[in-house]
Amino acid sequence: MDKFRMMFQFLQSNQESFMNGICGIMALASAQLYASFEFNCPCMPEYNYTYGIGVLVIPAFWFFLLGFVLNNNVSMLVEEWRRPTGQRGKDPTILRYMFISISQRSLIAPAVWISVTLMDGESFVCAYSVDLDVYQFGNATEHGLSEEELMRMLAKIPCKLIFDGQHIISREAATRYIQCVSQAFGWLFLLLITVIAFLIRAIRPCFTQAAFLKTKYWSHYVDIERKMFDETCTEHAKGFAKVCIQQYFESISGEMRSFHGHLRGDDSDDDDDDDEKHNNDEDKLLGIWAQDDMDKVLWNWHTCKPPLSLRKDGVSDDAKGDANTQEIGLLKLEIIYYFTRY
Amino acid sequence: IMDRLKLVLQYFQSNSESISNGICVILALISVKLYTSFDFNCPCIPQYNKLYALGVMFVPPVILFLLGVMINRHTGVMMEEWARPPGKRTKNPAVIKYLFSAMMQRALLAPMVWILVTLLDGKCFICAFSMSVDPKHFTGLPNNTGLDLVKIMAKVPCKEDIIFRNTTFRKAVTRYVRCYSQAIGWSILLLLILVGAVARVIKPCFNHAIFLQTRYWSNYLDIEQKLFDETCVLHAREFARKCVVQFFEGMQDDAVLRLPLSHTLPSRKTQDEYEEEERLHGITRKEQVDHLLQTWYQCRPELDVTKIAHRPTLCITWEDYKGRTIYSDV
């Protein structure tokens, strides 16, 4: 478990590399999804185009949305966008930067899907087989088929097993041609997005580098501040709960826990340790010594929970205070205030 | 085993050059894998063969080159160093040149690997140049199909075509073109290795001292940028922590410090109780908590932690009768 924690801490400490890891995993998932997807062209003139282009575009869009869903920073972006101004002004460049960096990461998996689909070529073959020119691939000079029958035959090209027009058109030649076109589109698409990414990443430092450093710092700060706030709230809740429960036990038992002043006055050195251990065990009992008291504690915890309002230590709300707390004196100290300067 | 892994990671991270080399090699391996998984589909049509094959041979190297430039850390460092105003630190053109040449060398590896793998495999060459082969050298040319010569030669790369079914013509032509392709591939490889070896051997003869300096300072720039980013991250963390604590303490009802004591001894709180009060920051009621959470959303505090960073600390000083300090403790 220790090793897992170390690995997790290493990933978490570098938020950027964690997000890059998720991004890479999604890209691999998209490639794997395509490989395991069974492409089933309907081979009918009315539905071929819809199916082919649908398989190309819809999963890409779905991966894009999934990227937004999996990214933790989306809720942070929306929070920063929607909060009232308060005492802190809002900086639109920070919002823009966060949105752009989230979009960049979400665009990788769809790009992988689109390029893998185009490289494979099946979706293009399905979508565009009806647009083929028969005479370019034809084996015979005339086919004697009507318009509709010709379209129906062309639509069957993607399906090897049901194609019946071998004497009119060479299926392999046609498929090969469309796959070529598809692959050409795929490479052009990859080239285009690589050039755009290159222009953004490699040329950007020439412009607005100082402003970029500023927005990067403050967007990272917003993220960390949110985490720190959650951590502080959690710690506060722990402290709150602990004190609340202790005070509840005290209120039921009617005893005060701090016996220390009483007992310490007459201790001796040699059984100091025993005394302390004895005191610790007694402390853990929180003043509940009998079965009836414990039953009352458990019963009241369900039927009559205490209010969410902690008493401050040393000040008792009701007259249950003992002799210990009756005399509260303020000791006057000569206090010199010390200002630290960095 | 985790310790060893951590050591290895630390070693690689400390030397940014070795990281760049590692990424460069990974990109080269990716390019090989990409080639093997790519389904090469020669169109076997006279007008498109050459276009397709040369496209497959040259467009992916451009993509890999651009990727190599983008992934390399030195690119960012170099561009920043080139584009920044001089300020109080003059710019050293030798460092920029060194970074540029290092980046180029690494970025050119993956494209060269793709081109070499393409040539050694031979499919691209066959697709592009099967029409340029003179069929007189080979027997078995199918002459009963009614197609002209160019179209027949263009169909050579396609295995499934029926016109080559009973002859060895297709295999002979492909073998011939593949030979050419592999010869060119091996020569290019030999040339590159020779150039690399010669450059490596004679480089120390020229300006070695200056080379050591530029290498040191380019490494320094890289490390400085990394450290700056790390310091910014740590600073943001501290800033956020102080800002949140300041916000909590600002929500307290009263700021009065009470020091309650019993008549026998000062009430010694245990370490746990001190920690609890520390964590509560003075917020002890449900309404206070609700109000705090509401205010965090409605009215975010300003980004100014001067009050808490320069908070007056209690310091107790013992002075003797003359006013000299004997002992002081914070």
Side-chain angles (χ1 to χ4, degrees):
Chain A
M1 280 318 287
D2 225 4
K3 295 170 195 169
F4 281 118
R5 195 148 37 106
M6 210 171 70
M7 177 74 67
F8 187 67
Q9 265 177 350
F10 170 72
L11 282 177
Q12 279 280 62
S13 68
N14 200 350
Q15 177 77 351
E16 283 237 346
S17 65
F18 184 66
M19 290 315 303
N20 287 344
I22 294 252
C23 188
I25 287 178
M26 273 195 36
L28 286 175
S30 108
Q32 182 60 32
L33 191 65
Y34 184 81
S36 49
F37 173 63
E38 213 183 282
F39 191 89
N40 252 321
C41 196
C43 291
M44 286 187 284
E46 308 89 9
Y47 301 125
N48 269 7
Y49 185 77
T50 317
Y51 186 84
I53 300 296
V55 165
L56 181 66
V57 169
I58 293 178
F61 189 63
W62 182 79
F63 273 111
F64 181 67
L65 288 179
L66 188 68
F68 268 86
V69 164
L70 288 181
N71 199 336
N72 294 338
N73 295 347
V74 168
S75 59
M76 180 178 78
L77 172 67
V78 176
E79 222 184 275
E80 181 67 16
W81 182 40
R82 296 304 301 166
R83 69 170 173 91
T85 316
Q87 290 174 349
R88 189 191 294 183
K90 283 206 274 196
D91 194 351
T93 50
I94 295 182
L95 292 170
R96 249 206 311 269
Y97 172 80
M98 285 203 266
F99 181 70
I100 287 179
S101 84
I102 292 177
S103 308
Q104 275 177 2
R105 290 214 170 80
S106 307
L107 280 173
I108 290 190
V112 167
W113 173 272
I114 290 181
S115 44
V116 170
T117 310
L118 288 175
M119 294 297 181
D120 193 39
E122 278 185 30
S123 69
F124 255 49
V125 169
C126 189
Y128 292 113
S129 66
V130 290
D131 299 329
L132 275 176
D133 184 9
V134 185
Y135 297 107
Q136 202 177 9
F137 303 98
N139 288 342
T141 42
E142 44 179 82
H143 44 80
L145 289 174
S146 69
E147 228 7 82
E148 208 186 292
E149 279 172 9
L150 185 68
M151 266 216 335
R152 221 185 286 272
M153 185 208 59
L154 283 175
K156 290 205 199 125
I157 284 179
C159 302
K160 215 182 333 198
L161 302 168
I162 64 176
F163 184 64
D164 54 359
Q166 197 59 33
H167 52 285
I168 299 175
I169 194 169
S170 161
R171 190 187 154 271
E172 285 88 19
T175 321
R176 195 179 281 271
Y177 172 70
I178 301 181
Q179 266 179 339
C180 269
V181 171
S182 169
Q183 281 176 347
F185 269 99
W187 284 120
L188 281 176
F189 173 75
L190 272 181
L191 185 66
L192 187 71
I193 57 174
T194 312
V195 166
I196 290 177
F198 175 76
L199 287 176
I200 291 180
R201 280 204 94 166
I203 309 290
R204 193 204 24 83
C206 291
F207 313 97
T208 70
Q209 176 69 356
F212 172 72
L213 285 174
K214 195 174 76 146
T215 40
K216 195 166 79 151
Y217 178 87
W218 286 116
S219 73
H220 180 66
Y221 172 82
V222 166
D223 183 25
I224 284 221
E225 191 189 46
R226 193 173 72 138
K227 285 203 191 81
M228 283 281 130
F229 185 76
D230 289 339
E231 259 182 50
T232 314
C233 280
T234 314
E235 283 176 16
H236 183 272
K238 265 195 223 159
F240 200 112
K242 192 165 168 194
V243 175
C244 190
I245 292 176
Q246 272 178 7
Q247 288 180 354
Y248 170 68
F249 269 72
E250 282 164 18
S251 72
I252 296 263
S253 73
E255 296 177 9
M256 295 299 286
R257 218 165 55 79
S258 46
F259 280 123
H260 296 201
H262 233 26
L263 290 171
R264 283 254 183 235
D266 45 35
D267 64 348
S268 49
D269 283 8
D270 31 300
D271 51 4
D272 215 1
D273 279 349
D274 278 355
D275 230 2
E276 217 175 278
K277 209 164 84 107
H278 189 56
N279 279 347
N280 274 344
D281 285 341
E282 282 193 2
D283 286 345
K284 283 199 189 129
L285 287 177
L286 293 170
I288 308 288
W289 301 85
Q291 183 186 6
D292 294 340
D293 281 343
M294 195 61 212
D295 286 344
K296 193 170 166 202
V297 162
L298 295 169
W299 183 263
N300 276 3
W301 186 250
H302 178 66
T303 54
C304 177
K305 276 222 169 85
L308 287 166
S309 170
L310 307 179
R311 294 191 309 275
K312 289 209 171 30
D313 207 6
V315 180
S316 47
D317 292 332
D318 43 330
K320 278 200 183 151
D322 282 335
N324 283 359
T325 55
Q326 282 292 332
E327 291 164 38
I328 300 170
L330 277 171
L331 192 69
K332 263 210 190 113
L333 293 173
E334 289 284 318
I335 295 173
I336 301 168
Y337 280 97
Y338 207 74
F339 283 88
T340 52
R341 287 182 124 259
Y342 289 101
Chain B
I1 190 172
M2 285 306 283
D3 288 333
R4 274 186 224 139
L5 194 65
K6 207 161 66 154
L7 273 174
V8 167
L9 273 174
Q10 268 178 344
Y11 168 73
F12 275 117
Q13 276 183 330
S14 66
N15 195 354
S16 71
E17 281 216 0
S18 54
I19 280 197
S20 301
N21 288 343
I23 291 184
C24 176
V25 166
I26 287 178
L27 201 59
L29 289 175
I30 287 179
S31 99
V32 171
K33 179 86 180 98
L34 199 61
Y35 182 81
T36 50
S37 54
F38 175 64
D39 191 14
F40 189 88
N41 252 322
C42 197
C44 294
I45 298 172
Q47 310 94 307
Y48 300 127
N49 267 8
K50 217 171 206 149
L51 192 64
Y52 180 83
L54 292 178
V56 167
M57 196 150 95
F58 290 117
V59 166
V62 171
I63 294 176
L64 288 167
F65 175 73
L66 292 177
L67 270 179
V69 168
M70 278 196 306
I71 291 180
N72 199 343
R73 243 198 96 73
H74 288 171
T75 314
V77 172
M78 181 192 78
M79 292 305 288
E80 251 191 68
E81 180 67 13
W82 184 49
R84 71 171 173 95
K88 290 200 184 142
R89 189 191 289 183
T90 54
K91 293 207 270 195
N92 190 352
V95 168
I96 298 178
K97 271 202 282 264
Y98 173 81
L99 284 171
F100 181 74
S101 73
M103 177 196 80
M104 280 306 221
Q105 280 170 16
R106 290 202 175 86
L108 281 173
L109 180 69
M112 289 317 300
V113 166
W114 174 277
I115 291 180
L116 283 172
V117 168
T118 313
L119 286 172
L120 291 176
D121 190 35
K123 285 199 285 243
C124 275
F125 245 55
I126 295 172
C127 189
F129 295 114
S130 65
M131 295 177 293
S132 328
V133 173
D134 192 359
K136 285 203 287 282
H137 301 298
F138 307 96
T139 59
L141 176 71
N143 50 5
N144 52 354
T145 50
L147 299 166
D148 42 334
L149 186 68
V150 172
K151 279 216 181 119
I152 294 179
M153 295 311 286
K155 282 189 199 273
V156 162
C158 298
K159 274 191 264 228
E160 314 86 33
D161 216 305
I162 48 174
I163 63 175
F164 298 115
R165 197 147 288 174
N166 290 325
T167 66
T168 54
F169 178 74
R170 194 196 70 84
K171 283 214 185 91
V173 173
T174 43
R175 199 181 285 272
Y176 175 71
V177 179
R178 186 177 287 142
C179 268
Y180 255 104
S181 163
Q182 284 179 345
I184 295 179
W186 284 116
S187 338
I188 291 181
L189 187 62
L190 186 66
L191 186 72
L192 284 176
I193 292 183
L194 267 177
V195 165
V198 164
R200 216 88 214 254
V201 162
I202 65 172
K203 191 159 69 158
C205 300
F206 302 93
N207 293 334
H208 191 61
I210 298 183
F211 167 71
L212 288 176
Q213 281 178 355
T214 42
R215 196 171 67 170
Y216 176 87
W217 287 116
S218 63
N219 210 20
Y220 170 82
L221 285 175
D222 185 23
I223 291 184
E224 192 186 47
Q225 198 190 48
K226 261 198 265 221
L227 277 178
F228 182 76
D229 289 338
E230 268 180 37
T231 312
C232 280
V233 165
L234 287 174
H235 182 267
R237 222 182 148 79
E238 265 317 298
F239 200 112
R241 195 194 302 270
K242 289 223 155 39
C243 194
V244 169
V245 167
Q246 186 175 286
F247 177 73
F248 266 71
E249 289 179 358
M251 291 271 126
Q252 283 176 13
D253 280 342
D254 51 343
V256 175
L257 190 66
R258 286 209 195 96
L259 301 169
L261 299 167
S262 81
H263 63 281
T264 48
L265 279 169
S267 98
R268 238 171 285 164
K269 290 190 181 171
T270 59
Q271 188 63 22
D272 291 335
E273 289 183 27
Y274 271 126
E275 271 177 25
E276 273 165 29
E277 287 213 1
E278 205 35 55
R279 281 197 288 217
L280 285 177
H281 298 293
I283 310 287
T284 49
R285 287 201 315 277
K286 175 177 195 290
E287 300 83 30
Q288 280 179 314
V289 174
D290 286 343
H291 182 240
L292 181 145
L293 293 171
Q294 175 94 0
T295 316
W296 180 254
Y297 179 70
Q298 295 283 61
C299 181
R300 198 62 62 100
E302 54 183 344
L303 289 165
D304 183 356
V305 293
T306 328
K307 280 191 290 258
I308 198 173
H310 294 165
R311 194 183 355 211
T313 319
L314 194 64
C315 170
I316 301 178
T317 304
W318 275 258
E319 293 180 342
D320 66 356
Y321 64 95
K322 281 195 198 143
R324 280 184 306 214
T325 312
I326 300 176
Y327 178 75
S328 104
D329 192 10
V330 176

